[in-house]
Amino acid sequence: MIQIEKLNKQFNGNYVLKNITTTFEVGKTNLIIGESGSGKTVLVKCMLRLHQIDSGDIIYENRRLRDLDDEDLIDLREQMGMVFQGSALFDSMTVEENIAFPLKMHTKKSKDEILELTERIIQRVNLLNSNKKFPSELSGGMQKRVAIARAVVSKPKYLFCDEPNSGLDPYTAMLIDNLIAEITQEYQITTIINTHDMNSVLEIGEKIIFLKGGQKNWQGTKHEIMNSSTQEVRDFLYSNKVFRELGKYVDTPKTE
Amino acid sequence: MNFLFHIGNYLMMLYRVFGKFTPWTIMRQLILRDIDTLIIGSTGTVIFLSFFVGGVVTIQTALNIENPLIPKTIVGFATRQSIILEFSPTLVSIIMAGKVGSYITSSIATMRVTEQIDALKIMGVNTFNYLIFPKIVAMMIYPILITFSMAFGIYGGYLAAVYGGFGTTSDFITGVTEDFRPYHVIYAYIKTLVFAFILATIPAYHGYFSKGGSLQVGKAATISFIWTSTVIIVVNYFLTQLMLT
């Protein structure tokens, strides 16, 4: 579990994150949603300590992120996996080498064991016959699969995904979402997904946090979001024509 | 103040390079890859340039010494001194700041803008060690390249002298071996090793701390070349003052 307590972050005097308090639960797909510029990526980067926070706390199973020295931080990061928006695959390595990289870095497994685990995860994410290809030879969807495989091959405790289905067609996006959700359940990972794709929200949003102007505006589940009375959530949700049409059949609650 | 910040940040980077080490099986591959790219990949350029510059140094020296009282062996002597003391260690290093330095900066900066460095960090990798240490080790065999430069520079000078009609083979070889001081070669190699370290680390610093997109990658490579060559020239002055006077 990851706890966030009264988190504040500002750039040049402007608050990008203001007083955020929440928890991200184990074995669940936790979604951070919001408009562009609402602070989603900054929040994830603060949780990875790629940005330093100004005040508040981020706690990984009783380990305060801000108290960790370089060595402890590296140890914690060995338990993390990350799927970047642009995949961030190592372009000088093949698919197989990209996926095997975390195992080679952090385990003392033999070459054969690493190859076997890599092969297994390649099959799991449906990337057959691509082992020897370089990232530049893959489609966007395949690159995302490689990124997911690389992120989970060493069975991390925490998985972060920054807009994992941006730039993908709706069908491939749904496959990627489901793949992440299945892997989260299978490996009992605490997964945090940063997205503004409403299809993802309704497909896999077990816990959803809505950010508006750097503040937590709403939180709930995929079942609750359609009935939310919070105006900002409704504006965000129904900015898509399909959801506007769908919204006509959903009762708007008086209070929340 | 900005200048002091960069010096401090550069020193902190060097400290972190020697922090948590990358497993040897991976590090070995990185070192071999960097030797291939940085050293072997530069051999042709260095030999080609040294050969022709050696020839030019010989021709210019010969043309400026028309006094019959000055022995013709001075052409070989001057070529050797110019090549060993200055051209090979210093000027080749400045050329390498353009070739190898720009490559190091742009490759690391590209990894930065495509979030590959962040990906490495999140995998618990000491990115300073992973990205910079192999380059430092690879550049430690840079003196071999400078040995080729010295040899081909002098050979280029020899061919220019003999076939250009500026002296005989005997004159040139006598000149090259005349008053030879092994200390000058040691001085050249010490300079070379210091420049090798500068060539590996300053471009890496500019690549690692670059920000923005593809435009900034190009800008970082340009700034890296300016700083690397400036530091080489300044350090060259102090090393010469320290070791030859």
Side-chain angles (χ1 to χ4, degrees):
Chain A
M1 191 171 74
I2 307 170
Q3 288 168 265
I4 295 182
E5 290 172 2
K6 295 178 181 171
L7 179 72
N8 287 297
K9 171 72 187 169
Q10 51 179 323
F11 290 118
N12 304 323
N14 296 320
Y15 275 96
V16 182
L17 296 173
K18 207 170 181 183
N19 204 26
I20 305 242
T21 298
T22 190
T23 55
F24 296 106
E25 292 160 35
V26 183
K28 282 191 177 175
T29 44
N30 302 273
L31 267 60
I32 304 169
I33 63 168
E35 297 160 6
S36 299
S38 58
K40 304 187 298 291
T41 302
V42 177
L43 176 57
V44 169
K45 288 197 170 177
C46 286
M47 292 170 74
L48 297 163
R49 215 167 97 175
L50 292 175
H51 288 323
Q52 294 290 341
I53 59 173
D54 295 326
S55 63
D57 264 318
I58 299 169
I59 304 163
Y60 286 82
E61 326 276 354
N62 302 323
R63 281 184 291 184
R64 280 178 201 281
L65 191 61
R66 65 156 72 202
D67 294 343
L68 302 180
D69 59 22
D70 281 357
E71 294 287 313
D72 291 337
L73 182 64
I74 287 174
D75 287 344
L76 176 66
R77 281 177 170 164
E78 285 178 17
Q79 300 172 9
M80 291 176 176
M82 171 94 188
V83 179
F84 285 86
Q85 191 175 355
S87 299
L89 299 177
F90 305 128
D91 40 25
S92 60
M93 296 182 195
T94 62
V95 165
E96 197 174 76
E97 288 165 343
N98 261 287
I99 296 170
F101 185 81
L103 296 173
K104 286 182 186 166
M105 278 304 294
H106 302 305
T107 66
K108 296 202 187 303
K109 292 186 193 304
S110 69
K111 219 173 174 178
D112 289 341
E113 283 175 303
I114 289 175
L115 208 63
E116 194 192 321
L117 281 167
T118 307
E119 192 56 45
R120 205 182 298 163
I121 198 83
I122 284 175
Q123 285 178 12
R124 179 69 189 80
V125 298
N126 276 323
L127 263 174
L128 299 171
N129 305 321
S130 302
N131 298 32
K132 302 291 175 199
K133 286 183 179 171
F134 284 92
S136 57
E137 299 171 291
L138 303 175
S139 68
M142 288 168 90
Q143 287 187 10
K144 284 279 156 64
R145 285 168 191 271
V146 179
I148 293 168
R150 186 180 67 181
V152 301
V153 70
S154 54
K155 297 195 175 167
K157 285 174 80 173
Y158 314 102
L159 176 64
F160 295 87
C161 306
D162 187 13
E163 304 199 12
N165 46 22
S166 67
L168 301 179
D169 64 86
Y171 180 70
T172 310
M174 186 193 69
L175 291 180
I176 296 291
D177 282 340
N178 288 330
L179 181 64
I180 293 170
E182 285 164 22
I183 285 172
T184 301
Q185 289 252 312
E186 205 173 309
Y187 298 161
Q188 281 298 295
I189 305 171
T190 305
T191 297
I192 291 112
I193 302 172
N194 168 1
T195 186
H196 48 219
D197 181 0
M198 285 311 298
N199 291 319
S200 300
V201 172
L202 296 184
E203 193 79 33
I204 57 169
E206 289 178 280
K207 177 170 183 178
I208 302 160
I209 292 157
F210 177 74
L211 293 185
K212 175 84 179 172
Q215 287 181 297
K216 190 179 84 176
N217 193 270
W218 180 89
Q219 80 172 33
T221 66
K222 63 181 175 183
H223 306 294
E224 291 163 353
I225 196 166
M226 291 297 282
N227 294 314
S228 168
S229 62
T230 307
Q231 190 54 45
E232 288 85 355
V233 176
R234 294 185 70 79
D235 289 345
F236 181 74
L237 188 63
Y238 298 124
S239 57
N240 181 315
K241 193 180 176 190
V242 176
F243 287 97
R244 266 201 306 274
E245 293 298 317
L246 195 63
K248 289 175 185 170
Y249 304 101
V250 177
D251 291 333
T252 309
K254 299 277 181 277
T255 55
E256 187 166 276
Chain B
M1 286 307 282
N2 200 29
F3 178 69
L4 289 177
F5 167 80
H6 284 295
I7 290 175
N9 210 22
Y10 171 74
L11 294 175
M12 285 296 291
M13 179 194 83
L14 292 183
Y15 172 74
R16 286 176 176 161
V17 166
F18 298 97
K20 185 185 175 185
F21 263 76
T22 304
W24 173 241
T25 46
I26 293 178
M27 183 54 78
R28 190 182 54 200
Q29 287 176 359
L30 293 172
I31 291 170
L32 291 175
R33 194 186 67 190
D34 281 338
I35 288 174
D36 183 41
T37 315
L38 305 179
I39 304 296
I40 298 173
S42 305
T43 310
T45 311
V46 167
I47 288 174
F48 181 83
L49 288 172
S50 303
F51 182 80
F52 281 97
V53 171
V56 170
V57 167
T58 298
I59 293 168
Q60 289 187 350
T61 308
L63 290 175
N64 282 290
I65 303 167
E66 288 181 341
N67 191 329
L69 293 174
I70 299 174
K72 286 195 170 181
T73 56
I74 201 76
V75 175
F77 175 80
T79 302
R80 183 199 76 201
Q81 290 297 83
S82 306
I83 296 286
I84 289 180
L85 290 177
E86 216 44 52
F87 173 73
S88 289
T90 311
L91 293 182
V92 168
S93 294
I94 290 170
I95 292 164
M96 291 288 274
K99 187 185 182 295
V100 168
S102 298
Y103 169 78
I104 292 174
T105 305
S106 55
S107 61
I108 296 179
T110 303
M111 287 185 78
R112 163 68 69 200
V113 300
T114 55
E115 296 182 307
Q116 290 178 53
I117 292 182
D118 287 342
L120 284 168
K121 273 187 187 175
I122 288 154
M123 284 182 215
V125 176
N126 175 358
T127 48
F128 294 101
N129 179 262
Y130 181 87
L131 294 170
I132 303 168
F133 185 75
K135 289 174 177 53
I136 295 174
V137 175
M139 287 306 286
M140 287 301 113
I141 61 167
Y142 177 56
I144 295 174
L145 206 57
I146 295 305
T147 307
F148 283 129
S149 168
M150 290 172 181
F152 279 89
I154 292 170
Y155 184 59
Y158 161 75
L159 292 180
V162 174
Y163 294 101
F166 300 110
T168 62
T169 300
S170 170
D171 287 338
F172 192 84
I173 291 173
T174 306
V176 165
T177 53
E178 202 171 71
D179 193 24
F180 177 71
R181 294 181 198 175
Y183 179 72
H184 284 175
V185 178
I186 293 169
Y187 155 77
Y189 280 126
I190 289 173
K191 278 207 310 190
T192 302
L193 278 172
V194 174
F195 296 159
F197 187 78
I198 292 168
L199 280 169
T201 54
I202 293 182
Y205 174 79
H206 285 282
Y208 193 93
F209 291 101
S210 66
K211 285 174 185 162
S214 53
L215 201 64
Q216 276 69 29
V217 173
K219 204 174 165 188
T222 309
I223 293 172
S224 151
F225 171 71
I226 293 167
W227 274 109
T228 309
S229 45
T230 304
V231 172
I232 286 173
I233 287 166
V234 173
V235 169
N236 181 45
Y237 171 81
F238 285 108
L239 280 176
T240 305
Q241 182 76 21
L242 197 71
M243 295 180 73
L244 287 189
T245 56

